[in-house]
């Protein structure tokens, strides 16, 4: 029973990634694409969590942490880039 | 018993994730899409990671602190990322949906711009 529900959840989450990818392709503004990419990154964490239960190993825990940090940093950098055109400010005047 | 709890948590996580992506593709503007994306995706990841933690704690007998750390990290950073995307979208001039009835930030920004202009005039 656990295997069946894990497989169902894996299929639902891959469908959800596909639906988000439609928004990444046709989003009218750049902010829509950033929102959808952030959601794809967060869904990827869930997919790797389910794969951890299926394969019965703890080896992917670091992978999950690194994906979470990279999704957050990438979202913040893209938001700053949309707002001002630069990611790092060189002068503070 | 443990299997039933893990199954319910995993299925709830998958369902919430699908609900969030349907919200992303159906809602009319960036701010509403952000609302759908941030909340449901965060709750789905928290449910699935809780299921992973319960599985390894009670079936395998292994305590994993990294999974708890992931839950706390996602729970803290998803609202921050949503707030920063929405503020950058507002500052870069993306319009609200045409049926929106209230825009509080516009009033506040006009007031702050007026105060800044007055301050600059007084300084010069």
């Amino acid at each position: 029973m656990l295997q069946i529900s894990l497989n169902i959840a894996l299929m639902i989450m891959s469908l959800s990634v596909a639906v988000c990818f439609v928004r990444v392709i046709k989003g009218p503004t750049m902010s829509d694409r950033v929102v959808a990419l952030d959601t794809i990154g967060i869904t990827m964490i869930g997919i790797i969590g389910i794969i951890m239960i299926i394969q019965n190993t703890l080896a992917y825990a670091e992978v999950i942490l690194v994906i979470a940090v990279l999704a957050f940093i990438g979202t913040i950098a893209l938001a700053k880039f949309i707002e001002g055109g630069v990611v790092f400010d060189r002068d503070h005047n | 018993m443990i299997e039933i709890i893990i199954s319910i948590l995993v299925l709830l996580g998958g369902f919430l994730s699908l609900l969030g992506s349907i919200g992303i593709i159906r809602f009319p503007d960036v701010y509403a899409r952000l609302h759908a994306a941030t909340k449901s995706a965060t709750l789905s990841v928290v449910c699935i990671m809780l299921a992973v933690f319960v599985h390894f704690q009670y079936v395998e007998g292994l305590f994993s602190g990294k999974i708890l750390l992931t839950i706390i990290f996602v729970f803290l950073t998803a609202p921050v990322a949503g707030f920063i995307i929405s503020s950058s979208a507002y500052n870069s001039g993306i319009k609200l949906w045409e049926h929106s009835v209230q825009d509080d930030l516009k009033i506040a920004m006009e007031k702050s711009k007026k105060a800044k202009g007055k301050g600059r005039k007084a300084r010069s």
Side-chain angles (χ1 to χ4, degrees), chain B residues 12 15 26 32 37 46 48 74 82:
Chain B
L12 187 65
F15 177 69
R26 291 279 297 169
V46 167
I48 289 177
V74 170

Side-chain angles (χ1 to χ4, degrees), chain A residues 1-2 5 9 12-13 16 19-20 23 31-32 35 39 42-43 49 56-57 62 64-65 72 75-76 79 83, chain B residues 7 10 14 17 21 24-25 30 33-34 37 45 48-49 52 55-56 60 66 70 77 84-85 88-89 91 94:
Chain A
M1 193 191 111
L2 184 60
S5 60
I12 290 176
M13 294 190 82
S16 146
V19 171
C20 283
R23 180 53 77 191
S31 299
D32 291 305
V35 171
T39 312
I42 286 183
T43 314
N56 211 352
T57 170
E62 291 95 352
I64 288 179
L65 264 178
F72 177 61
T75 305
I76 297 246
E83 188 173 357
Chain B
S7 306
V10 164
S17 165
S21 50
I24 281 181
I25 209 166
V30 181
R33 275 173 207 146
L34 205 59
V45 168
I48 289 177
M49 283 297 128
V52 175
H55 178 265
F56 282 109
E60 304 286 316
K66 286 172 211 157
T70 307
T77 58
I84 288 182
I85 295 172
S88 84
N91 283 333
I94 293 172

